[in-house]
PDB file of all heavy atoms in Angstrom:
ATOM      1  N   LYS A 225       0.092  -7.299 -13.426  1.00 97.00           N
ATOM      2  CA  LYS A 225      -1.083  -6.689 -12.784  1.00 97.00           C
ATOM      3  C   LYS A 225      -1.133  -7.003 -11.284  1.00 97.00           C
ATOM      4  O   LYS A 225      -1.588  -6.190 -10.478  1.00 97.00           O
ATOM      5  CB  LYS A 225      -2.362  -7.197 -13.458  1.00 97.00           C
ATOM      6  CG  LYS A 225      -3.641  -6.504 -12.976  1.00 97.00           C
ATOM      7  CD  LYS A 225      -4.864  -7.153 -13.606  1.00 97.00           C
ATOM      8  CE  LYS A 225      -6.138  -6.689 -12.963  1.00 97.00           C
ATOM      9  NZ  LYS A 225      -6.474  -5.292 -13.255  1.00 97.00           N
ATOM     10  N   SER A 226      -0.628  -8.209 -10.950  1.00 97.00           N
ATOM     11  CA  SER A 226      -0.660  -8.607  -9.531  1.00 97.00           C
ATOM     12  C   SER A 226       0.153  -7.637  -8.665  1.00 97.00           C
ATOM     13  O   SER A 226      -0.061  -7.543  -7.459  1.00 97.00           O
ATOM     14  CB  SER A 226      -0.124 -10.037  -9.372  1.00 97.00           C
ATOM     15  OG  SER A 226       1.293 -10.056  -9.459  1.00 97.00           O
ATOM     16  N   LEU A 227       1.054  -6.894  -9.309  1.00 97.00           N
ATOM     17  CA  LEU A 227       1.909  -5.972  -8.545  1.00 97.00           C
ATOM     18  C   LEU A 227       1.139  -4.746  -8.047  1.00 97.00           C
ATOM     19  O   LEU A 227       1.690  -3.908  -7.335  1.00 97.00           O
ATOM     20  CB  LEU A 227       3.105  -5.536  -9.396  1.00 97.00           C
ATOM     21  CG  LEU A 227       4.009  -6.691  -9.859  1.00 97.00           C
ATOM     22  CD1 LEU A 227       5.034  -6.192 -10.866  1.00 97.00           C
ATOM     23  CD2 LEU A 227       4.701  -7.352  -8.666  1.00 97.00           C
ATOM     24  N   GLN A 228      -0.125  -4.650  -8.427  1.00 96.00           N
ATOM     25  CA  GLN A 228      -0.953  -3.603  -7.825  1.00 96.00           C
ATOM     26  C   GLN A 228      -1.211  -3.903  -6.353  1.00 96.00           C
ATOM     27  O   GLN A 228      -1.597  -3.021  -5.604  1.00 96.00           O
ATOM     28  CB  GLN A 228      -2.287  -3.491  -8.579  1.00 96.00           C
ATOM     29  CG  GLN A 228      -2.145  -2.873  -9.964  1.00 96.00           C
ATOM     30  CD  GLN A 228      -3.483  -2.448 -10.536  1.00 96.00           C
ATOM     31  OE1 GLN A 228      -4.398  -2.100  -9.808  1.00 96.00           O
ATOM     32  NE2 GLN A 228      -3.593  -2.478 -11.852  1.00 96.00           N
ATOM     33  N   LEU A 229      -1.002  -5.163  -5.975  1.00 96.00           N
ATOM     34  CA  LEU A 229      -1.245  -5.554  -4.583  1.00 96.00           C
ATOM     35  C   LEU A 229       0.062  -5.629  -3.796  1.00 96.00           C
ATOM     36  O   LEU A 229       1.068  -6.168  -4.267  1.00 96.00           O
ATOM     37  CB  LEU A 229      -1.947  -6.916  -4.534  1.00 96.00           C
ATOM     38  CG  LEU A 229      -3.340  -6.936  -5.161  1.00 96.00           C
ATOM     39  CD1 LEU A 229      -3.905  -8.351  -5.122  1.00 96.00           C
ATOM     40  CD2 LEU A 229      -4.280  -5.963  -4.444  1.00 96.00           C
ATOM     41  N   LYS A 230       0.009  -5.114  -2.576  1.00 95.00           N
ATOM     42  CA  LYS A 230       1.207  -5.014  -1.756  1.00 95.00           C
ATOM     43  C   LYS A 230       1.888  -6.366  -1.546  1.00 95.00           C
ATOM     44  O   LYS A 230       3.109  -6.460  -1.602  1.00 95.00           O
ATOM     45  CB  LYS A 230       0.846  -4.379  -0.406  1.00 95.00           C
ATOM     46  CG  LYS A 230       2.051  -4.106   0.476  1.00 95.00           C
ATOM     47  CD  LYS A 230       1.662  -3.379   1.757  1.00 95.00           C
ATOM     48  CE  LYS A 230       2.880  -3.187   2.656  1.00 95.00           C
ATOM     49  NZ  LYS A 230       2.555  -2.497   3.913  1.00 95.00           N
ATOM     50  N   LYS A 231       1.076  -7.417  -1.308  1.00 96.00           N
ATOM     51  CA  LYS A 231       1.716  -8.700  -0.971  1.00 96.00           C
ATOM     52  C   LYS A 231       2.548  -9.231  -2.141  1.00 96.00           C
ATOM     53  O   LYS A 231       3.612  -9.799  -1.947  1.00 96.00           O
ATOM     54  CB  LYS A 231       0.708  -9.733  -0.468  1.00 96.00           C
ATOM     55  CG  LYS A 231      -0.330 -10.191  -1.460  1.00 96.00           C
ATOM     56  CD  LYS A 231      -1.129 -11.363  -0.850  1.00 96.00           C
ATOM     57  CE  LYS A 231      -2.159 -11.844  -1.855  1.00 96.00           C
ATOM     58  NZ  LYS A 231      -2.903 -13.005  -1.408  1.00 96.00           N
ATOM     59  N   PHE A 232       2.074  -8.995  -3.373  1.00 97.00           N
ATOM     60  CA  PHE A 232       2.859  -9.443  -4.520  1.00 97.00           C
ATOM     61  C   PHE A 232       4.062  -8.527  -4.768  1.00 97.00           C
ATOM     62  O   PHE A 232       5.126  -8.981  -5.137  1.00 97.00           O
ATOM     63  CB  PHE A 232       1.974  -9.554  -5.769  1.00 97.00           C
ATOM     64  CG  PHE A 232       0.948 -10.647  -5.666  1.00 97.00           C
ATOM     65  CD1 PHE A 232      -0.397 -10.360  -5.579  1.00 97.00           C
ATOM     66  CD2 PHE A 232       1.358 -11.980  -5.619  1.00 97.00           C
ATOM     67  CE1 PHE A 232      -1.339 -11.370  -5.454  1.00 97.00           C
ATOM     68  CE2 PHE A 232       0.424 -13.007  -5.505  1.00 97.00           C
ATOM     69  CZ  PHE A 232      -0.936 -12.700  -5.416  1.00 97.00           C
ATOM     70  N   ARG A 233       3.868  -7.225  -4.541  1.00 97.00           N
ATOM     71  CA  ARG A 233       5.018  -6.315  -4.668  1.00 97.00           C
ATOM     72  C   ARG A 233       6.115  -6.736  -3.708  1.00 97.00           C
ATOM     73  O   ARG A 233       7.294  -6.751  -4.043  1.00 97.00           O
ATOM     74  CB  ARG A 233       4.604  -4.872  -4.337  1.00 97.00           C
ATOM     75  CG  ARG A 233       3.758  -4.198  -5.397  1.00 97.00           C
ATOM     76  CD  ARG A 233       3.726  -2.682  -5.205  1.00 97.00           C
ATOM     77  NE  ARG A 233       3.096  -2.231  -3.972  1.00 97.00           N
ATOM     78  CZ  ARG A 233       1.796  -2.021  -3.822  1.00 97.00           C
ATOM     79  NH1 ARG A 233       0.971  -2.234  -4.833  1.00 97.00           N
ATOM     80  NH2 ARG A 233       1.306  -1.591  -2.679  1.00 97.00           N
ATOM     81  N   GLN A 234       5.684  -7.114  -2.492  1.00 94.00           N
ATOM     82  CA  GLN A 234       6.688  -7.444  -1.480  1.00 94.00           C
ATOM     83  C   GLN A 234       7.371  -8.774  -1.767  1.00 94.00           C
ATOM     84  O   GLN A 234       8.572  -8.906  -1.557  1.00 94.00           O
ATOM     85  CB  GLN A 234       6.048  -7.415  -0.098  1.00 94.00           C
ATOM     86  CG  GLN A 234       5.755  -5.970   0.302  1.00 94.00           C
ATOM     87  CD  GLN A 234       5.533  -5.801   1.774  1.00 94.00           C
ATOM     88  OE1 GLN A 234       4.909  -6.655   2.401  1.00 94.00           O
ATOM     89  NE2 GLN A 234       6.026  -4.714   2.336  1.00 94.00           N
ATOM     90  N   SER A 235       6.609  -9.750  -2.249  1.00 96.00           N
ATOM     91  CA  SER A 235       7.261 -11.039  -2.522  1.00 96.00           C
ATOM     92  C   SER A 235       8.154 -10.950  -3.758  1.00 96.00           C
ATOM     93  O   SER A 235       9.206 -11.565  -3.825  1.00 96.00           O
ATOM     94  CB  SER A 235       6.222 -12.151  -2.673  1.00 96.00           C
ATOM     95  OG  SER A 235       5.379 -11.892  -3.780  1.00 96.00           O
ATOM     96  N   GLU A 236       7.738 -10.178  -4.762  1.00 96.00           N
ATOM     97  CA  GLU A 236       8.510 -10.083  -6.007  1.00 96.00           C
ATOM     98  C   GLU A 236       9.562  -8.968  -5.972  1.00 96.00           C
ATOM     99  O   GLU A 236      10.427  -8.918  -6.842  1.00 96.00           O
ATOM    100  CB  GLU A 236       7.559  -9.847  -7.195  1.00 96.00           C
ATOM    101  CG  GLU A 236       6.491 -10.916  -7.368  1.00 96.00           C
ATOM    102  CD  GLU A 236       7.089 -12.295  -7.574  1.00 96.00           C
ATOM    103  OE1 GLU A 236       7.970 -12.420  -8.430  1.00 96.00           O
ATOM    104  OE2 GLU A 236       6.707 -13.229  -6.837  1.00 96.00           O
ATOM    105  N   ARG A 237       9.425  -8.055  -5.015  1.00 96.00           N
ATOM    106  CA  ARG A 237      10.314  -6.879  -4.929  1.00 96.00           C
ATOM    107  C   ARG A 237      10.278  -6.061  -6.214  1.00 96.00           C
ATOM    108  O   ARG A 237      11.299  -5.552  -6.700  1.00 96.00           O
ATOM    109  CB  ARG A 237      11.764  -7.286  -4.595  1.00 96.00           C
ATOM    110  CG  ARG A 237      11.924  -8.138  -3.344  1.00 96.00           C
ATOM    111  CD  ARG A 237      11.721  -7.415  -2.062  1.00 96.00           C
ATOM    112  NE  ARG A 237      12.583  -6.247  -1.876  1.00 96.00           N
ATOM    113  CZ  ARG A 237      12.276  -5.239  -1.065  1.00 96.00           C
ATOM    114  NH1 ARG A 237      11.156  -5.240  -0.378  1.00 96.00           N
ATOM    115  NH2 ARG A 237      13.086  -4.212  -0.936  1.00 96.00           N
ATOM    116  N   LEU A 238       9.088  -5.954  -6.795  1.00 97.00           N
ATOM    117  CA  LEU A 238       8.874  -5.186  -8.024  1.00 97.00           C
ATOM    118  C   LEU A 238       7.684  -4.256  -7.829  1.00 97.00           C
ATOM    119  O   LEU A 238       6.784  -4.560  -7.043  1.00 97.00           O
ATOM    120  CB  LEU A 238       8.564  -6.127  -9.196  1.00 97.00           C
ATOM    121  CG  LEU A 238       9.665  -7.053  -9.704  1.00 97.00           C
ATOM    122  CD1 LEU A 238       9.081  -8.083 -10.667  1.00 97.00           C
ATOM    123  CD2 LEU A 238      10.787  -6.264 -10.371  1.00 97.00           C
ATOM    124  N   PHE A 239       7.658  -3.143  -8.553  1.00 97.00           N
ATOM    125  CA  PHE A 239       6.475  -2.263  -8.520  1.00 97.00           C
ATOM    126  C   PHE A 239       6.265  -1.610  -9.877  1.00 97.00           C
ATOM    127  O   PHE A 239       7.134  -1.693 -10.755  1.00 97.00           O
ATOM    128  CB  PHE A 239       6.605  -1.215  -7.399  1.00 97.00           C
ATOM    129  CG  PHE A 239       7.689  -0.191  -7.619  1.00 97.00           C
ATOM    130  CD1 PHE A 239       7.390   1.099  -8.052  1.00 97.00           C
ATOM    131  CD2 PHE A 239       9.024  -0.502  -7.398  1.00 97.00           C
ATOM    132  CE1 PHE A 239       8.385   2.058  -8.245  1.00 97.00           C
ATOM    133  CE2 PHE A 239      10.031   0.437  -7.588  1.00 97.00           C
ATOM    134  CZ  PHE A 239       9.711   1.712  -8.015  1.00 97.00           C
ATOM    135  N   LEU A 240       5.091  -0.986 -10.040  1.00 97.00           N
ATOM    136  CA  LEU A 240       4.693  -0.409 -11.325  1.00 97.00           C
ATOM    137  C   LEU A 240       4.876   1.110 -11.347  1.00 97.00           C
ATOM    138  O   LEU A 240       4.553   1.788 -10.376  1.00 97.00           O
ATOM    139  CB  LEU A 240       3.212  -0.697 -11.597  1.00 97.00           C
ATOM    140  CG  LEU A 240       2.740  -2.152 -11.522  1.00 97.00           C
ATOM    141  CD1 LEU A 240       1.223  -2.212 -11.667  1.00 97.00           C
ATOM    142  CD2 LEU A 240       3.413  -2.978 -12.600  1.00 97.00           C
ATOM    143  N   VAL A 241       5.373   1.602 -12.469  1.00 97.00           N
ATOM    144  CA  VAL A 241       5.395   3.050 -12.696  1.00 97.00           C
ATOM    145  C   VAL A 241       4.661   3.299 -14.004  1.00 97.00           C
ATOM    146  O   VAL A 241       5.018   2.722 -15.036  1.00 97.00           O
ATOM    147  CB  VAL A 241       6.836   3.590 -12.773  1.00 97.00           C
ATOM    148  CG1 VAL A 241       6.833   5.076 -13.108  1.00 97.00           C
ATOM    149  CG2 VAL A 241       7.571   3.333 -11.461  1.00 97.00           C
ATOM    150  N   GLU A 242       3.634   4.147 -13.970  1.00 96.00           N
ATOM    151  CA  GLU A 242       2.760   4.304 -15.133  1.00 96.00           C
ATOM    152  C   GLU A 242       2.828   5.692 -15.750  1.00 96.00           C
ATOM    153  O   GLU A 242       3.037   6.680 -15.057  1.00 96.00           O
ATOM    154  CB  GLU A 242       1.317   4.039 -14.699  1.00 96.00           C
ATOM    155  CG  GLU A 242       1.120   2.666 -14.087  1.00 96.00           C
ATOM    156  CD  GLU A 242      -0.298   2.463 -13.585  1.00 96.00           C
ATOM    157  OE1 GLU A 242      -1.220   2.480 -14.395  1.00 96.00           O
ATOM    158  OE2 GLU A 242      -0.470   2.267 -12.367  1.00 96.00           O
ATOM    159  N   GLY A 243       2.617   5.743 -17.055  1.00 95.00           N
ATOM    160  CA  GLY A 243       2.510   7.029 -17.743  1.00 95.00           C
ATOM    161  C   GLY A 243       3.853   7.524 -18.245  1.00 95.00           C
ATOM    162  O   GLY A 243       4.913   7.194 -17.708  1.00 95.00           O
ATOM    163  N   GLU A 244       3.794   8.339 -19.272  1.00 95.00           N
ATOM    164  CA  GLU A 244       4.996   8.827 -19.941  1.00 95.00           C
ATOM    165  C   GLU A 244       5.979   9.504 -18.981  1.00 95.00           C
ATOM    166  O   GLU A 244       7.156   9.162 -18.923  1.00 95.00           O
ATOM    167  CB  GLU A 244       4.568   9.811 -21.045  1.00 95.00           C
ATOM    168  CG  GLU A 244       5.731  10.390 -21.825  1.00 95.00           C
ATOM    169  CD  GLU A 244       5.264  11.116 -23.086  1.00 95.00           C
ATOM    170  OE1 GLU A 244       4.137  10.870 -23.553  1.00 95.00           O
ATOM    171  OE2 GLU A 244       6.042  11.938 -23.602  1.00 95.00           O
ATOM    172  N   LYS A 245       5.446  10.469 -18.230  1.00 92.00           N
ATOM    173  CA  LYS A 245       6.309  11.270 -17.359  1.00 92.00           C
ATOM    174  C   LYS A 245       7.002  10.418 -16.302  1.00 92.00           C
ATOM    175  O   LYS A 245       8.215  10.509 -16.099  1.00 92.00           O
ATOM    176  CB  LYS A 245       5.440  12.332 -16.683  1.00 92.00           C
ATOM    177  CG  LYS A 245       6.110  13.669 -16.526  1.00 92.00           C
ATOM    178  CD  LYS A 245       5.121  14.682 -15.980  1.00 92.00           C
ATOM    179  CE  LYS A 245       5.726  15.431 -14.816  1.00 92.00           C
ATOM    180  NZ  LYS A 245       6.839  16.316 -15.180  1.00 92.00           N
ATOM    181  N   GLY A 246       6.210   9.564 -15.655  1.00 94.00           N
ATOM    182  CA  GLY A 246       6.745   8.713 -14.601  1.00 94.00           C
ATOM    183  C   GLY A 246       7.787   7.740 -15.130  1.00 94.00           C
ATOM    184  O   GLY A 246       8.843   7.532 -14.518  1.00 94.00           O
ATOM    185  N   VAL A 247       7.492   7.131 -16.282  1.00 96.00           N
ATOM    186  CA  VAL A 247       8.420   6.154 -16.859  1.00 96.00           C
ATOM    187  C   VAL A 247       9.727   6.840 -17.271  1.00 96.00           C
ATOM    188  O   VAL A 247      10.825   6.315 -17.029  1.00 96.00           O
ATOM    189  CB  VAL A 247       7.766   5.409 -18.049  1.00 96.00           C
ATOM    190  CG1 VAL A 247       8.784   4.557 -18.789  1.00 96.00           C
ATOM    191  CG2 VAL A 247       6.609   4.537 -17.554  1.00 96.00           C
ATOM    192  N   LEU A 248       9.622   8.042 -17.856  1.00 95.00           N
ATOM    193  CA  LEU A 248      10.843   8.754 -18.234  1.00 95.00           C
ATOM    194  C   LEU A 248      11.676   9.107 -17.007  1.00 95.00           C
ATOM    195  O   LEU A 248      12.902   9.015 -17.023  1.00 95.00           O
ATOM    196  CB  LEU A 248      10.496  10.027 -19.019  1.00 95.00           C
ATOM    197  CG  LEU A 248       9.908   9.798 -20.423  1.00 95.00           C
ATOM    198  CD1 LEU A 248       9.512  11.127 -21.058  1.00 95.00           C
ATOM    199  CD2 LEU A 248      10.909   9.059 -21.320  1.00 95.00           C
ATOM    200  N   GLU A 249      10.992   9.486 -15.916  1.00 94.00           N
ATOM    201  CA  GLU A 249      11.706   9.822 -14.685  1.00 94.00           C
ATOM    202  C   GLU A 249      12.443   8.600 -14.148  1.00 94.00           C
ATOM    203  O   GLU A 249      13.593   8.691 -13.722  1.00 94.00           O
ATOM    204  CB  GLU A 249      10.730  10.315 -13.604  1.00 94.00           C
ATOM    205  CG  GLU A 249      10.090  11.657 -13.897  1.00 94.00           C
ATOM    206  CD  GLU A 249      10.608  12.768 -12.985  1.00 94.00           C
ATOM    207  OE1 GLU A 249      11.742  12.659 -12.471  1.00 94.00           O
ATOM    208  OE2 GLU A 249       9.863  13.750 -12.798  1.00 94.00           O
ATOM    209  N   VAL A 250      11.777   7.452 -14.182  1.00 95.00           N
ATOM    210  CA  VAL A 250      12.410   6.263 -13.605  1.00 95.00           C
ATOM    211  C   VAL A 250      13.528   5.758 -14.525  1.00 95.00           C
ATOM    212  O   VAL A 250      14.547   5.227 -14.058  1.00 95.00           O
ATOM    213  CB  VAL A 250      11.357   5.179 -13.254  1.00 95.00           C
ATOM    214  CG1 VAL A 250      10.964   4.316 -14.436  1.00 95.00           C
ATOM    215  CG2 VAL A 250      11.841   4.301 -12.106  1.00 95.00           C
ATOM    216  N   MET A 251      13.373   5.974 -15.839  1.00 96.00           N
ATOM    217  CA  MET A 251      14.447   5.606 -16.775  1.00 96.00           C
ATOM    218  C   MET A 251      15.699   6.455 -16.530  1.00 96.00           C
ATOM    219  O   MET A 251      16.826   6.003 -16.695  1.00 96.00           O
ATOM    220  CB  MET A 251      13.980   5.788 -18.231  1.00 96.00           C
ATOM    221  CG  MET A 251      13.166   4.607 -18.775  1.00 96.00           C
ATOM    222  SD  MET A 251      12.304   4.988 -20.349  1.00 96.00           S
ATOM    223  CE  MET A 251      13.649   5.604 -21.371  1.00 96.00           C
ATOM    224  N   ALA A 252      15.479   7.703 -16.138  1.00 94.00           N
ATOM    225  CA  ALA A 252      16.600   8.623 -15.919  1.00 94.00           C
ATOM    226  C   ALA A 252      17.186   8.482 -14.517  1.00 94.00           C
ATOM    227  O   ALA A 252      18.199   9.096 -14.194  1.00 94.00           O
ATOM    228  CB  ALA A 252      16.128  10.052 -16.141  1.00 94.00           C
TER     229      ALA A 252
END
Side-chain angles (χ1 to χ4, degrees):
Chain A
K225 187 185 169 70
S226 77
L227 300 171
Q228 288 195 30
L229 296 177
K230 186 176 177 180
K231 65 172 181 176
F232 293 112
R233 287 196 296 274
Q234 288 198 321
S235 63
E236 302 301 310
R237 306 288 304 157
L238 292 169
F239 68 103
L240 307 174
V241 176
E242 302 176 63
E244 180 168 340
K245 218 174 131 68
V247 171
L248 291 176
E249 292 251 25
V250 83
M251 277 167 53

